[in-house]
Amino acid sequence: MLAARSAPARHEVTVRHRERLLARIARAQAALDMLEGECPYDDIMTCPRFQGLLVARLQSSSVTNPEDATQPRTYSA
């Protein structure tokens, strides 16, 4: 933003940055939603609710970003 030499250029930079932040927040919220909730299972990987959310998330990611479907995914809690 500091390198932009005009108001329109700075506006464009801030709009792009805002979009990236909103996408990052949405991904973080989706991850949090997957971890929250009541699950009687000791291991989250055996929880049917978590498994369903995980499958739905992976399917929606591959549909929205087909090129990402070939990339390995890492998830952390």
Side-chain angles (χ1 to χ4, degrees):
M1 186 165 50
L2 298 175
R5 300 208 181 269
S6 67
R10 281 187 292 280
H11 177 73
E12 184 180 327
V13 167
T14 57
V15 166
R16 282 195 320 261
H17 185 62
R18 180 181 181 276
E19 290 170 357
R20 286 192 304 264
L21 283 173
L22 287 172
R24 189 172 170 190
I25 290 167
R27 286 190 307 270
Q29 185 63 54
L32 183 60
D33 290 345
M34 288 179 67
L35 296 176
E36 288 184 331
E38 298 298 318
C39 182
Y41 294 82
D42 290 334
D43 180 4
I44 195 167
M45 292 307 292
T46 61
C47 178
R49 179 188 165 277
F50 179 78
Q51 287 294 318
L53 290 170
L54 184 59
V55 167
R57 176 75 176 141
L58 291 173
Q59 287 174 344
S60 70
S61 292
S62 64
V63 169
T64 12
N65 301 312
E67 63 275 357
D68 290 346
T70 60
Q71 300 299 317
R73 294 195 179 278
T74 56
Y75 293 94
S76 58

